[in-house]
Amino acid sequence: AGHEALEDRPGAVASRNSPPKLPHPLESGYRWDPNNPGIAESQQDAAWLEANGYPGPDVEAYLMSLPVYALKNLADRGNKPAQAFYAFRLAQSGADQSDTQEVLLKSAASGSIFALKMAGDIYYTVDGYRDPVMASVFYGLQARRGDHAGLIQNYLVDSALTSDQRLRAQALRE
């Protein structure tokens, strides 16, 4: 009588009987919506994109709206789209390239083709990271893993490379 439940007090730790905190529905996934398909052309395409770490348009918008600490929290818990966006934010902030690459390569090793695409985007567009050879490497790996958009991106980047740079990119992809 007159005592608050533990869960009702500010800053209190939830009891063992409390239900686990459910993830926000927009933290990951690629839900097919023909009115907002994003890059998916069909429900089957959306399922492939989700399985390979790509966020749907609603998930992308949500993740892009999060502060860096929240992205890092999701990335640390293995959220593949969050890992890619966290790496992009690291790059934009001028973080050491090895820190950014560590996040991307860990995500790619766990099956995220989106991480390879994001790595290509980072090396193609972010000041302090711009390296067309590395962009070519990652776009080529994106294509090799089954995302045909990587073929186009790789072609566009490769067309601006010298023959020596193309050879170096090819060797790094192997």
Side-chain angles (χ1 to χ4, degrees):
H3 295 283
E4 298 176 77
L6 178 63
E7 292 83 7
D8 294 337
R9 288 195 312 245
V13 176
S15 73
R16 280 184 234 142
N17 297 331
S18 297
K21 181 182 179 279
L22 297 174
H24 190 284
L26 295 179
E27 284 180 3
S28 66
Y30 202 118
R31 287 162 280 291
W32 172 244
D33 178 356
N35 296 316
N36 187 19
I39 60 173
E41 295 180 7
S42 65
Q43 188 167 0
Q44 181 181 6
D45 200 21
W48 185 91
L49 290 163
E50 180 173 356
N52 288 286
Y54 285 80
D58 53 346
V59 172
E60 182 172 350
Y62 174 74
L63 292 175
M64 294 290 286
S65 74
L66 293 177
V68 173
Y69 74 87
L71 277 175
K72 181 182 182 335
N73 185 7
L74 289 171
D76 288 347
R77 293 190 345 236
N79 180 310
K80 292 175 191 171
Q83 289 168 335
F85 286 116
Y86 176 59
F88 193 81
R89 292 269 191 85
L90 283 175
Q92 286 180 317
S93 73
D96 189 85
Q97 288 190 23
S98 63
D99 295 336
T100 303
Q101 268 195 3
E102 181 182 343
V103 174
L104 290 166
L105 294 177
K106 179 181 175 186
S107 187
S110 71
S112 177
I113 297 172
F114 183 61
L116 297 171
K117 179 233 181 286
M118 190 65 81
D121 291 351
I122 288 168
Y123 282 106
Y124 194 63
T125 64
V126 177
D127 290 336
Y129 280 73
R130 283 200 178 118
D131 182 340
V133 170
M134 290 305 294
S136 174
V137 168
F138 285 108
Y139 288 143
L141 291 172
Q142 172 191 356
R144 187 180 289 174
R145 295 273 304 275
D147 183 349
H148 300 292
L151 291 171
I152 296 164
Q153 291 162 307
N154 191 43
Y155 173 78
L156 293 171
V157 172
D158 273 3
S159 65
L161 298 178
T162 67
S163 56
D164 286 346
Q165 288 174 316
R166 272 193 297 281
L167 199 60
R168 200 169 111 233
Q170 187 176 14
L172 287 170
R173 271 194 298 273
E174 300 305 321

